[in-house]
Amino acid sequence: TGPVIGPAHRAALGESLAEVVGEAEAAVAGFTGLHLQGPPTRPWVMRRDEWIVQNLRGFEGVLEPVTQRLLGPRLEGPMAPLRRKALAVQVGALLGYLGRKVLGQYDLFLPPDDRDLLYFVGPNVIEIERRYRFPPRDFRLWLALHEVAHRLQFDGTGWLRGYLTGLVDEYLGTIELDVRALLDGLRRAREEARRNPRSREMGFLFLLMTPAQRETFRKMQALMSVLEGHGNFVMDSLSEGRVRGADRMRQTLQQRRHRRGLERAMQRA
């Protein structure tokens, strides 16, 4: 559950984030030249379990068509509970891990009426502030600059959201659960890893992909790298003269992301 945040503390955190999000939105719009077509950005201070539930809903909307296509009649029958549990374990483990790590999020898959929302996981924000003794308002503004930049990227352009969701749909549309195809993929991945040990650096999932899937995956990866790099550039540029200790915040969170051992293995998985 993380640090306990009572109702009064949560309300105060919400007010603080609303103030810095408004400041960040004006600063990012002025710096980038991107402007929102919809309402101003609203922060939502969440518990970890609330963040997980919202992301489950997002996954559900994205994965429902491919689930129906792949499983169809197999959603019923004696093996259905096992298939559901296998998927639940994978998604649950992923979101349970991320629920302790995520500070802020712009959710790409929200319905149109909620696209002005930014998520902030209250316990994680408070925990980091306390652990590293970051000035709360400065740290929250620093986070807000990055997340608002992501909202402006998608809502300040006419094409980006459709392009990325199109790539996601294209990738999901190629997924098959045919046993023979999966075995062929495993055999091909093993041979490729043996011939070229460096190919393992992309992860085993990449080795299992077909050539068409790899091409789509590379496009998604390239786009997300540009968006994340642009968000960091905007945040770093606007932090100068606005955020006390921004360099220390950046270095601290980079070290937190690049841990080794089990933590690193989980991130790669």
Side-chain angles (χ1 to χ4, degrees), residues 160-181:
L160 187 56
R161 184 185 300 274
Y163 176 71
L164 181 55
T165 55
L167 287 176
V168 173
D169 291 342
E170 180 181 322
Y171 179 81
L172 293 176
T174 64
I175 293 176
E176 296 292 344
L177 290 183
D178 179 71
V179 174
R180 183 175 299 174

PDB file of all heavy atoms in Angstrom, residues 160-181:
ATOM      1  N   LEU A 160      -1.053  12.299 -34.123  1.00  0.00           N
ATOM      2  CA  LEU A 160      -0.187  11.408 -33.351  1.00  0.00           C
ATOM      3  C   LEU A 160      -0.959  10.281 -32.662  1.00  0.00           C
ATOM      4  O   LEU A 160      -0.541   9.114 -32.693  1.00  0.00           O
ATOM      5  CB  LEU A 160       0.594  12.220 -32.319  1.00  0.00           C
ATOM      6  CG  LEU A 160       1.672  11.477 -31.534  1.00  0.00           C
ATOM      7  CD1 LEU A 160       2.674  10.826 -32.455  1.00  0.00           C
ATOM      8  CD2 LEU A 160       2.387  12.446 -30.587  1.00  0.00           C
ATOM      9  N   ARG A 161      -2.076  10.612 -32.022  1.00  0.00           N
ATOM     10  CA  ARG A 161      -2.832   9.587 -31.304  1.00  0.00           C
ATOM     11  C   ARG A 161      -3.293   8.483 -32.268  1.00  0.00           C
ATOM     12  O   ARG A 161      -3.155   7.290 -31.986  1.00  0.00           O
ATOM     13  CB  ARG A 161      -4.041  10.215 -30.604  1.00  0.00           C
ATOM     14  CG  ARG A 161      -4.827   9.237 -29.750  1.00  0.00           C
ATOM     15  CD  ARG A 161      -6.082   9.901 -29.189  1.00  0.00           C
ATOM     16  NE  ARG A 161      -5.747  11.054 -28.357  1.00  0.00           N
ATOM     17  CZ  ARG A 161      -5.446  10.964 -27.063  1.00  0.00           C
ATOM     18  NH1 ARG A 161      -5.452   9.792 -26.456  1.00  0.00           N
ATOM     19  NH2 ARG A 161      -5.166  12.064 -26.379  1.00  0.00           N
ATOM     20  N   GLY A 162      -3.849   8.884 -33.415  1.00  0.00           N
ATOM     21  CA  GLY A 162      -4.321   7.898 -34.379  1.00  0.00           C
ATOM     22  C   GLY A 162      -3.191   7.052 -34.936  1.00  0.00           C
ATOM     23  O   GLY A 162      -3.360   5.850 -35.183  1.00  0.00           O
ATOM     24  N   TYR A 163      -2.020   7.666 -35.136  1.00  0.00           N
ATOM     25  CA  TYR A 163      -0.880   6.920 -35.664  1.00  0.00           C
ATOM     26  C   TYR A 163      -0.426   5.845 -34.687  1.00  0.00           C
ATOM     27  O   TYR A 163      -0.214   4.688 -35.066  1.00  0.00           O
ATOM     28  CB  TYR A 163       0.270   7.892 -35.962  1.00  0.00           C
ATOM     29  CG  TYR A 163       1.535   7.208 -36.422  1.00  0.00           C
ATOM     30  CD1 TYR A 163       1.607   6.613 -37.689  1.00  0.00           C
ATOM     31  CD2 TYR A 163       2.644   7.151 -35.601  1.00  0.00           C
ATOM     32  CE1 TYR A 163       2.773   5.983 -38.117  1.00  0.00           C
ATOM     33  CE2 TYR A 163       3.817   6.519 -36.010  1.00  0.00           C
ATOM     34  CZ  TYR A 163       3.875   5.932 -37.273  1.00  0.00           C
ATOM     35  OH  TYR A 163       5.018   5.298 -37.683  1.00  0.00           O
ATOM     36  N   LEU A 164      -0.291   6.212 -33.395  1.00  0.00           N
ATOM     37  CA  LEU A 164       0.189   5.242 -32.414  1.00  0.00           C
ATOM     38  C   LEU A 164      -0.835   4.139 -32.156  1.00  0.00           C
ATOM     39  O   LEU A 164      -0.485   2.960 -32.113  1.00  0.00           O
ATOM     40  CB  LEU A 164       0.541   5.945 -31.098  1.00  0.00           C
ATOM     41  CG  LEU A 164       1.075   5.033 -29.987  1.00  0.00           C
ATOM     42  CD1 LEU A 164       2.277   4.229 -30.465  1.00  0.00           C
ATOM     43  CD2 LEU A 164       1.442   5.830 -28.753  1.00  0.00           C
ATOM     44  N   THR A 165      -2.096   4.510 -31.992  1.00  0.00           N
ATOM     45  CA  THR A 165      -3.107   3.475 -31.775  1.00  0.00           C
ATOM     46  C   THR A 165      -3.225   2.575 -32.998  1.00  0.00           C
ATOM     47  O   THR A 165      -3.505   1.377 -32.870  1.00  0.00           O
ATOM     48  CB  THR A 165      -4.472   4.092 -31.429  1.00  0.00           C
ATOM     49  OG1 THR A 165      -4.855   5.019 -32.448  1.00  0.00           O
ATOM     50  CG2 THR A 165      -4.433   4.814 -30.104  1.00  0.00           C
ATOM     51  N   GLY A 166      -2.989   3.123 -34.189  1.00  0.00           N
ATOM     52  CA  GLY A 166      -2.980   2.303 -35.398  1.00  0.00           C
ATOM     53  C   GLY A 166      -1.857   1.279 -35.368  1.00  0.00           C
ATOM     54  O   GLY A 166      -2.051   0.120 -35.778  1.00  0.00           O
ATOM     55  N   LEU A 167      -0.679   1.678 -34.888  1.00  0.00           N
ATOM     56  CA  LEU A 167       0.435   0.733 -34.759  1.00  0.00           C
ATOM     57  C   LEU A 167       0.111  -0.367 -33.756  1.00  0.00           C
ATOM     58  O   LEU A 167       0.425  -1.543 -33.981  1.00  0.00           O
ATOM     59  CB  LEU A 167       1.708   1.472 -34.332  1.00  0.00           C
ATOM     60  CG  LEU A 167       2.397   2.350 -35.376  1.00  0.00           C
ATOM     61  CD1 LEU A 167       3.575   3.089 -34.754  1.00  0.00           C
ATOM     62  CD2 LEU A 167       2.863   1.519 -36.572  1.00  0.00           C
ATOM     63  N   VAL A 168      -0.489   0.019 -32.635  1.00  0.00           N
ATOM     64  CA  VAL A 168      -0.859  -0.974 -31.624  1.00  0.00           C
ATOM     65  C   VAL A 168      -1.858  -1.974 -32.216  1.00  0.00           C
ATOM     66  O   VAL A 168      -1.712  -3.197 -32.049  1.00  0.00           O
ATOM     67  CB  VAL A 168      -1.449  -0.283 -30.378  1.00  0.00           C
ATOM     68  CG1 VAL A 168      -2.000  -1.320 -29.398  1.00  0.00           C
ATOM     69  CG2 VAL A 168      -0.388   0.562 -29.684  1.00  0.00           C
ATOM     70  N   ASP A 169      -2.876  -1.466 -32.890  1.00  0.00           N
ATOM     71  CA  ASP A 169      -3.872  -2.350 -33.503  1.00  0.00           C
ATOM     72  C   ASP A 169      -3.233  -3.250 -34.562  1.00  0.00           C
ATOM     73  O   ASP A 169      -3.578  -4.432 -34.689  1.00  0.00           O
ATOM     74  CB  ASP A 169      -4.992  -1.526 -34.138  1.00  0.00           C
ATOM     75  CG  ASP A 169      -5.871  -0.827 -33.107  1.00  0.00           C
ATOM     76  OD1 ASP A 169      -5.835  -1.242 -31.924  1.00  0.00           O
ATOM     77  OD2 ASP A 169      -6.578   0.128 -33.479  1.00  0.00           O
ATOM     78  N   GLU A 170      -2.303  -2.675 -35.326  1.00  0.00           N
ATOM     79  CA  GLU A 170      -1.622  -3.457 -36.369  1.00  0.00           C
ATOM     80  C   GLU A 170      -0.838  -4.604 -35.751  1.00  0.00           C
ATOM     81  O   GLU A 170      -0.867  -5.737 -36.243  1.00  0.00           O
ATOM     82  CB  GLU A 170      -0.689  -2.528 -37.148  1.00  0.00           C
ATOM     83  CG  GLU A 170       0.089  -3.197 -38.271  1.00  0.00           C
ATOM     84  CD  GLU A 170       1.008  -2.200 -38.971  1.00  0.00           C
ATOM     85  OE1 GLU A 170       0.597  -1.037 -39.142  1.00  0.00           O
ATOM     86  OE2 GLU A 170       2.132  -2.599 -39.324  1.00  0.00           O
ATOM     87  N   TYR A 171      -0.152  -4.315 -34.643  1.00  0.00           N
ATOM     88  CA  TYR A 171       0.639  -5.357 -33.983  1.00  0.00           C
ATOM     89  C   TYR A 171      -0.270  -6.436 -33.406  1.00  0.00           C
ATOM     90  O   TYR A 171      -0.056  -7.637 -33.597  1.00  0.00           O
ATOM     91  CB  TYR A 171       1.501  -4.744 -32.884  1.00  0.00           C
ATOM     92  CG  TYR A 171       2.316  -5.777 -32.143  1.00  0.00           C
ATOM     93  CD1 TYR A 171       3.511  -6.256 -32.675  1.00  0.00           C
ATOM     94  CD2 TYR A 171       1.880  -6.297 -30.932  1.00  0.00           C
ATOM     95  CE1 TYR A 171       4.246  -7.215 -32.013  1.00  0.00           C
ATOM     96  CE2 TYR A 171       2.608  -7.264 -30.259  1.00  0.00           C
ATOM     97  CZ  TYR A 171       3.799  -7.716 -30.805  1.00  0.00           C
ATOM     98  OH  TYR A 171       4.512  -8.682 -30.158  1.00  0.00           O
ATOM     99  N   LEU A 172      -1.317  -6.019 -32.676  1.00  0.00           N
ATOM    100  CA  LEU A 172      -2.217  -6.989 -32.056  1.00  0.00           C
ATOM    101  C   LEU A 172      -2.942  -7.827 -33.101  1.00  0.00           C
ATOM    102  O   LEU A 172      -3.285  -8.988 -32.854  1.00  0.00           O
ATOM    103  CB  LEU A 172      -3.235  -6.271 -31.167  1.00  0.00           C
ATOM    104  CG  LEU A 172      -2.668  -5.592 -29.915  1.00  0.00           C
ATOM    105  CD1 LEU A 172      -3.761  -4.826 -29.178  1.00  0.00           C
ATOM    106  CD2 LEU A 172      -2.010  -6.604 -28.983  1.00  0.00           C
ATOM    107  N   GLY A 173      -3.164  -7.246 -34.275  1.00  0.00           N
ATOM    108  CA  GLY A 173      -3.855  -7.979 -35.331  1.00  0.00           C
ATOM    109  C   GLY A 173      -3.040  -9.111 -35.915  1.00  0.00           C
ATOM    110  O   GLY A 173      -3.586  -9.977 -36.617  1.00  0.00           O
ATOM    111  N   THR A 174      -1.720  -9.138 -35.653  1.00  0.00           N
ATOM    112  CA  THR A 174      -0.862 -10.200 -36.189  1.00  0.00           C
ATOM    113  C   THR A 174      -0.640 -11.337 -35.200  1.00  0.00           C
ATOM    114  O   THR A 174      -0.005 -12.335 -35.547  1.00  0.00           O
ATOM    115  CB  THR A 174       0.513  -9.640 -36.584  1.00  0.00           C
ATOM    116  OG1 THR A 174       1.182  -9.155 -35.404  1.00  0.00           O
ATOM    117  CG2 THR A 174       0.372  -8.500 -37.588  1.00  0.00           C
ATOM    118  N   ILE A 175      -1.130 -11.193 -33.974  1.00  0.00           N
ATOM    119  CA  ILE A 175      -0.873 -12.207 -32.950  1.00  0.00           C
ATOM    120  C   ILE A 175      -1.745 -13.435 -33.197  1.00  0.00           C
ATOM    121  O   ILE A 175      -2.935 -13.329 -33.445  1.00  0.00           O
ATOM    122  CB  ILE A 175      -1.140 -11.634 -31.546  1.00  0.00           C
ATOM    123  CG1 ILE A 175      -0.103 -10.557 -31.225  1.00  0.00           C
ATOM    124  CG2 ILE A 175      -1.092 -12.734 -30.489  1.00  0.00           C
ATOM    125  CD1 ILE A 175      -0.336  -9.871 -29.908  1.00  0.00           C
ATOM    126  N   GLU A 176      -1.102 -14.603 -33.125  1.00  0.00           N
ATOM    127  CA  GLU A 176      -1.819 -15.861 -33.275  1.00  0.00           C
ATOM    128  C   GLU A 176      -1.479 -16.771 -32.100  1.00  0.00           C
ATOM    129  O   GLU A 176      -0.412 -16.659 -31.500  1.00  0.00           O
ATOM    130  CB  GLU A 176      -1.426 -16.561 -34.591  1.00  0.00           C
ATOM    131  CG  GLU A 176      -1.798 -15.798 -35.838  1.00  0.00           C
ATOM    132  CD  GLU A 176      -3.305 -15.727 -36.053  1.00  0.00           C
ATOM    133  OE1 GLU A 176      -4.027 -16.530 -35.411  1.00  0.00           O
ATOM    134  OE2 GLU A 176      -3.747 -14.881 -36.851  1.00  0.00           O
ATOM    135  N   LEU A 177      -2.383 -17.700 -31.805  1.00  0.00           N
ATOM    136  CA  LEU A 177      -2.150 -18.658 -30.731  1.00  0.00           C
ATOM    137  C   LEU A 177      -2.090 -20.089 -31.259  1.00  0.00           C
ATOM    138  O   LEU A 177      -2.273 -21.035 -30.510  1.00  0.00           O
ATOM    139  CB  LEU A 177      -3.262 -18.553 -29.672  1.00  0.00           C
ATOM    140  CG  LEU A 177      -3.261 -17.284 -28.820  1.00  0.00           C
ATOM    141  CD1 LEU A 177      -4.359 -17.345 -27.774  1.00  0.00           C
ATOM    142  CD2 LEU A 177      -1.911 -17.072 -28.155  1.00  0.00           C
ATOM    143  N   ASP A 178      -1.801 -20.240 -32.557  1.00  0.00           N
ATOM    144  CA  ASP A 178      -1.681 -21.569 -33.127  1.00  0.00           C
ATOM    145  C   ASP A 178      -0.460 -22.267 -32.534  1.00  0.00           C
ATOM    146  O   ASP A 178       0.658 -21.735 -32.550  1.00  0.00           O
ATOM    147  CB  ASP A 178      -1.525 -21.467 -34.647  1.00  0.00           C
ATOM    148  CG  ASP A 178      -1.360 -22.820 -35.301  1.00  0.00           C
ATOM    149  OD1 ASP A 178      -2.345 -23.574 -35.348  1.00  0.00           O
ATOM    150  OD2 ASP A 178      -0.231 -23.114 -35.725  1.00  0.00           O
ATOM    151  N   VAL A 179      -0.660 -23.470 -32.010  1.00  0.00           N
ATOM    152  CA  VAL A 179       0.416 -24.178 -31.309  1.00  0.00           C
ATOM    153  C   VAL A 179       1.589 -24.452 -32.233  1.00  0.00           C
ATOM    154  O   VAL A 179       2.755 -24.263 -31.860  1.00  0.00           O
ATOM    155  CB  VAL A 179      -0.122 -25.494 -30.704  1.00  0.00           C
ATOM    156  CG1 VAL A 179       1.023 -26.307 -30.106  1.00  0.00           C
ATOM    157  CG2 VAL A 179      -1.166 -25.203 -29.647  1.00  0.00           C
ATOM    158  N   ARG A 180       1.305 -24.870 -33.460  1.00  0.00           N
ATOM    159  CA  ARG A 180       2.394 -25.173 -34.388  1.00  0.00           C
ATOM    160  C   ARG A 180       3.209 -23.920 -34.702  1.00  0.00           C
ATOM    161  O   ARG A 180       4.446 -23.963 -34.741  1.00  0.00           O
ATOM    162  CB  ARG A 180       1.818 -25.763 -35.677  1.00  0.00           C
ATOM    163  CG  ARG A 180       2.884 -26.182 -36.676  1.00  0.00           C
ATOM    164  CD  ARG A 180       2.244 -26.860 -37.882  1.00  0.00           C
ATOM    165  NE  ARG A 180       1.524 -28.068 -37.474  1.00  0.00           N
ATOM    166  CZ  ARG A 180       0.775 -28.784 -38.308  1.00  0.00           C
ATOM    167  NH1 ARG A 180       0.623 -28.400 -39.571  1.00  0.00           N
ATOM    168  NH2 ARG A 180       0.157 -29.873 -37.878  1.00  0.00           N
ATOM    169  N   ALA A 181       2.509 -22.789 -34.893  1.00  0.00           N
ATOM    170  CA  ALA A 181       3.222 -21.537 -35.182  1.00  0.00           C
ATOM    171  C   ALA A 181       4.074 -21.115 -33.986  1.00  0.00           C
ATOM    172  O   ALA A 181       5.196 -20.618 -34.156  1.00  0.00           O
ATOM    173  CB  ALA A 181       2.218 -20.445 -35.532  1.00  0.00           C
TER     174      ALA A 181
END
